């Protein structure tokens, strides 16, 4: 039987992680765990509960109570939190900013870390985020760091928000994701960085199908080497 790998994909906002990780998981028939969706859900629920997104005690206690589950719906992954489908609600760029705020809190990260590791424990999983290769799954079989130029990332996110029916201004999205990347890279706990043993893949100018082809080649190479 072919070995079922544990694959970590990290990178900055709108670098194409989500699309690539989802396509790769589907192709390999692996589970896909979108850890950004978990931080987005905590940010959204903190705001809905009237909490300050930088209040470690309160938001950490909230995160520790939540139970996360991911289910495929055709080609899409849906996230359920305590049985509630939050898939659509977490995608606004404002939810991304709240996610980045709660993601600075060590208590929130500790609460999600246990659940993320439990979701990956059986292998056959693609997990994407900011700290998967460095903190969550340091023993992953394959680590990839996806990046793209800041302008291209802003364009992709603007297009995505418009496709979802929202209005999005390119310059505003550019400054929002730049601010979020800065916060993610400079926070004290589990900052965004490329793991020493991660493979860098620059997706600037590459369509999703080309990114998938490269990832599948990396998976094949890893399987052949083991
Ligand atoms: O989709 P996008 O790349 O914009 O972001 P995301 O992956 O949905 O993550 C939203 C936010 O959650 C990020 O800006 C990070 O602050 C935080 N996050 C994190 O700290 N650690 C992770 N493993 C995943 C996300």
């Amino acid at each position: 039987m072919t070995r079922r790998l544990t694959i970590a994909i990290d990178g900055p906002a709108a670098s194409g992680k989500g699309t690539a990780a989802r396509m790769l998981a589907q192709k390999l028939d692996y589970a896909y765990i979108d850890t950004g969706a978990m931080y987005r859900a905590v940010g959204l629920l903190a705001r809905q509960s009237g909490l300050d997104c930088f209040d470690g005690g309160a938001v950490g206690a909230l995160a520790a109570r939540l139970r996360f589950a991911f289910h495929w719906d055709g080609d899409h992954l849906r996230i359920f939190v305590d049985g509630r489908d939050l898939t659509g609600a977490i995608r606004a760029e404002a939810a991304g900013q709240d996610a980045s705020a709660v993601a600075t809190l060590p208590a929130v990260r500790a609460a999600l870390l246990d659940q993320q590791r439990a979701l990956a424990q059986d292998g056959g999983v693609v997990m994407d985020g900011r700290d998967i290769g460095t903190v969550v799954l340091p023993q992953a079989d394959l680590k990839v760091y996806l990046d793209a130029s800041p302008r291209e990332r802003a364009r992709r996110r603007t297009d995505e928000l418009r496709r979802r029916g929202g209005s999005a201004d390119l310059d505003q999205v550019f400054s929002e994701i730049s601010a979020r990347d800065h916060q993610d890279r400079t926070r004290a706990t589990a900052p965004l960085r490329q793991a020493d043993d991660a493979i860098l893949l620059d997706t600037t100018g590459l369509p999703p199908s080309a990114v998938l082809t490269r990832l599948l080649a990396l998976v094949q190479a890893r399987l052949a080497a083991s």
Side-chain angles (χ1 to χ4, degrees):
M1 212 182 94
T2 317
R3 195 154 79 89
R4 289 169 68 75
L5 304 178
T6 298
I7 302 173
I9 301 185
D10 290 299
S15 53
K17 300 179 304 293
T19 304
R22 178 176 52 75
M23 291 171 80
L24 183 64
Q26 281 186 305
K27 190 80 187 167
L28 298 172
D29 198 20
Y30 281 14
Y32 166 38
I33 308 300
D34 175 358
T35 64
M38 299 168 81
Y39 285 97
R40 284 171 177 265
V42 174
L44 180 77
L45 295 174
R47 182 169 289 274
Q48 284 180 354
S49 310
L51 302 178
D52 171 354
C53 284
F54 287 101
D55 180 343
V59 186
L62 169 75
R65 279 199 307 273
L66 300 175
R67 287 295 161 262
F68 298 87
F70 291 93
H71 297 295
W72 289 109
D73 172 15
D75 282 349
H76 297 279
L77 189 77
R78 306 200 79 83
I79 179 170
F80 293 82
V81 183
D82 291 343
R84 260 175 80 194
D85 185 349
L86 295 184
T87 312
I90 59 171
R91 285 299 148 199
E93 193 48 35
Q97 288 165 41
D98 287 343
S100 185
V102 301
T104 63
L105 304 170
V108 170
R109 303 204 72 86
L112 297 193
L113 181 65
D114 289 342
Q115 294 207 50
Q116 290 161 356
R117 286 190 177 151
L119 287 163
Q121 68 187 358
D122 297 330
V125 66
V126 181
M127 185 175 282
D128 80 339
R130 301 292 186 288
D131 60 340
I132 310 307
T134 51
V135 175
V136 182
L137 303 174
Q139 310 298 336
D141 299 300
L142 174 63
K143 300 180 185 179
V144 181
Y145 188 89
L146 286 192
D147 209 343
S149 74
R151 269 283 149 194
E152 172 140 347
R153 294 191 286 113
R155 253 193 317 275
R156 289 179 186 166
R157 182 50 43 88
T158 305
D159 290 346
E160 180 192 333
L161 292 167
R162 287 183 184 155
R163 268 199 311 277
R164 290 178 191 279
S167 60
D169 174 71
L170 180 63
D171 289 334
Q172 194 187 336
V173 169
F174 181 85
S175 60
E176 281 168 356
I177 65 175
S178 302
R180 190 145 65 84
D181 284 346
H182 178 74
Q183 182 160 263
D184 291 347
R185 288 192 172 106
T186 56
R187 69 183 174 221
T189 310
L192 166 66
R193 71 172 181 85
Q194 182 181 344
D196 296 337
D197 52 352
I199 296 158
L200 174 66
L201 180 50
D202 188 332
T203 70
T204 309
L206 288 184
S209 58
V211 177
L212 177 63
T213 301
R214 293 188 190 199
L215 291 175
L216 285 170
L218 294 174
V219 169
Q220 288 313 327
R222 196 46 50 105
L223 285 171
S226 63

